[in-house]
Amino acid sequence: MSITIESIACWLVDIPTIRPHKLSMTTMGCQTLTIVRMTCAQGVGWGEATTIGGLSYGSESPESIKSAIETYLSPLLCGQTFSGVASLAAKMNASVKGNTFAKSALETAFLDVQGKMLGLPVSALLGGALTERLPVLWTLASGDTDKDIDEGKRLLAEGRHDTFKLKIGARDLKTDIRHALAIKTALGDEVSIRVDVNQAWDVTTAIKGMTELQAGGIDLVEQPIPLWDQRGLITLSQRFTVPILADEAVATAHDGYALASGGFTGAYALKIAKAGGPVQALKLAQVAQAAGIALYGGTLLEGTLGTVASLHAWSTVTMQWGTEMFGPLLLKDDIVVRPLDFSHGQVTLPSGPGLGVEIDADKLRHYART
Ligand code: MUC
Ligand code: MG
């Protein structure tokens, strides 16, 4: 049952987005996927580590992820035999601090090998899927209110999504509130609208902003203040009835425990890259469940490979706030043979051993940086 890692290859894959995607800290016109192929004595597995806007979102860039893997993690792991993800994570954590994005790609690739070897989907290795179809919202983030309304109406009419997230925080508060409430009014009462501020406000601005968003019927406010301000996030969560979704503030089970024991109420956004892989992300889910905090399946706008790795994990827990695993739909192309099935506000978890994803070697070659 043990797996011996023989070699690890890594590529930076640049894929344009279907339109500019505007967040509080950057506007994306292209997404860079860091793709990993792990060759083991027992078979080959694939993983992905993806962030947003170079170093503008998190502390690892696509280039630093590749460098951490090639310079430190690959020499550490190659030639070694592991009984499972626990010993793999222990080995990585003993010699490499942080770098959870890089570790996430490697944990994913290892799970892919293990699943293929055992003839089981990765979800089965993580406890077993509760569902094969997971809810998926869409983010309206063209940077223009009218364009966002048109896009939202089109996706509703097509039946593709019924829940939307808006990216705010780049502009002044009044403009952002006008933008969010105009979209809420245009799309109607039945449609759930959430906002993600990506840490752009201070507590004073958040109190003003959340008062108006709550009165205007916004359903969820994601990471309104900086990730370091745990006390502020707890206070806001207790002051408003509109719930707070902690994202950047909760990467690991330790963060989840600190916020919950401090009195936070609301929900946690799980992301495999923040935690160091699908198994590590589920440790945060367990802390949330123990504390009565709701869950949400988060993305860093990964391609199909990273999205599917997340879906296998998310399928094993109840996501009270659904998921945002729409990354592949924001990309003009991908590096897989079969795209995911997105329809009726949901995505289907691939079946088959491992991740259940087949890599298109020609597309990988075409989009990989040289
Ligand atoms: C984030 O902060 O949640 C998820 C969806 C989206 O549009 O951006 C990401 C990042
Ligand atoms: Mg977020």
Side-chain angles (χ1 to χ4, degrees):
M1 289 299 222
S2 293
I3 290 175
T4 304
I5 301 177
E6 292 178 341
S7 65
I8 293 168
C10 195
W11 296 266
L12 296 178
V13 172
D14 294 310
I15 303 189
T17 56
I18 55 168
R19 59 147 169 74
H21 198 64
K22 190 171 166 48
L23 298 89
S24 74
M25 79 306 274
T26 191
T27 301
M28 298 164 57
C30 172
Q31 180 58 307
T32 303
L33 324 176
T34 306
I35 301 294
V36 159
R37 185 188 62 207
M38 183 182 277
T39 304
C40 302
Q42 295 74 13
V44 173
W46 294 84
E48 174 183 335
T50 293
T51 186
I52 290 174
L55 280 171
S56 63
Y57 188 98
S59 56
E60 288 169 71
S61 67
E63 295 78 12
S64 79
I65 294 166
K66 185 167 186 283
S67 161
I69 290 171
E70 291 177 344
T71 314
Y72 297 99
L73 289 156
S74 175
L76 182 72
L77 301 181
C78 290
Q80 303 289 321
T81 300
F82 298 96
S83 57
V85 164
S87 58
L88 177 79
K91 181 84 181 170
M92 291 198 286
N93 292 340
S95 298
V96 176
K97 300 277 184 284
N99 286 277
T100 56
F101 288 61
K103 289 172 183 170
S104 175
L106 295 167
E107 184 177 284
T108 298
F110 187 89
L111 286 166
D112 191 27
V113 175
Q114 206 177 23
K116 287 170 179 165
M117 183 178 105
L118 297 169
L120 293 171
V122 166
S123 59
L125 306 178
L126 303 177
L130 298 172
T131 175
E132 306 298 323
R133 295 272 289 165
L134 289 100
V136 183
L137 61 66
W138 175 255
T139 300
L140 298 168
S142 70
D144 179 285
T145 310
D146 292 335
K147 278 191 190 156
D148 284 356
I149 290 173
D150 288 349
E151 193 173 292
K153 284 188 172 165
R154 179 174 55 79
L155 293 172
L156 282 169
E158 287 172 5
R160 211 181 74 182
H161 301 279
D162 55 14
T163 301
F164 299 95
K165 161 161 151 175
L166 316 177
K167 291 298 211 178
I168 61 173
R171 295 175 294 191
D172 64 273
L173 184 65
K174 268 202 177 121
T175 309
D176 269 346
I177 300 296
R178 213 181 307 122
H179 169 79
L181 299 188
I183 294 173
K184 173 71 192 163
T185 306
L187 298 188
D189 269 356
E190 299 304 297
V191 177
S192 176
I193 306 285
R194 299 104 183 256
V195 298
D196 188 356
V197 191
N198 281 118
Q199 315 185 58
W201 294 341
D202 58 17
V203 172
T204 312
T205 312
I207 291 171
K208 283 190 211 154
M210 287 183 65
T211 303
E212 298 199 46
L213 293 169
Q214 181 171 289
I218 299 300
D219 282 334
L220 191 66
V221 178
E222 182 170 344
Q223 199 63 51
I225 59 173
L227 73 90
W228 54 263
D229 194 356
Q230 285 204 350
R231 178 58 39 207
L233 208 64
I234 292 164
T235 305
L236 291 171
S237 78
Q238 293 173 346
R239 179 169 177 153
F240 290 94
T241 51
V242 57
I244 289 194
L245 177 64
D247 182 5
E248 288 91 325
V250 275
T252 65
H254 304 294
D255 304 323
Y257 177 72
L259 264 187
S261 57
F264 177 82
T265 71
Y268 290 163
L270 305 178
K271 290 182 182 173
I272 59 170
K274 290 191 297 187
V279 172
Q280 313 311 318
L282 287 174
K283 292 180 182 168
L284 171 59
Q286 282 146 17
V287 169
Q289 286 168 337
I293 288 175
L295 293 174
Y296 177 70
T299 182
L300 278 166
L301 304 174
E302 293 97 346
T304 298
L305 194 54
T307 298
V308 168
S310 309
L311 288 173
H312 278 288
W314 306 167
S315 73
T316 68
V317 290
T318 301
M319 293 288 181
Q320 291 87 346
W321 285 95
T323 87
E324 58 181 17
M325 307 313 297
F326 66 85
L329 298 174
L330 189 67
L331 305 183
K332 274 199 178 140
D333 203 355
D334 213 321
I335 54 154
V336 295
V337 174
R338 273 175 311 281
L340 280 168
D341 164 28
F342 288 93
S343 56
H344 310 296
Q346 294 180 317
V347 62
T348 306
L349 180 71
S351 52
L355 294 171
V357 172
E358 196 183 331
I359 299 299
D360 184 325
D362 292 337
K363 285 200 172 172
L364 175 60
R365 211 172 306 117
H366 177 76
Y367 288 109
R369 256 183 234 177
T370 47

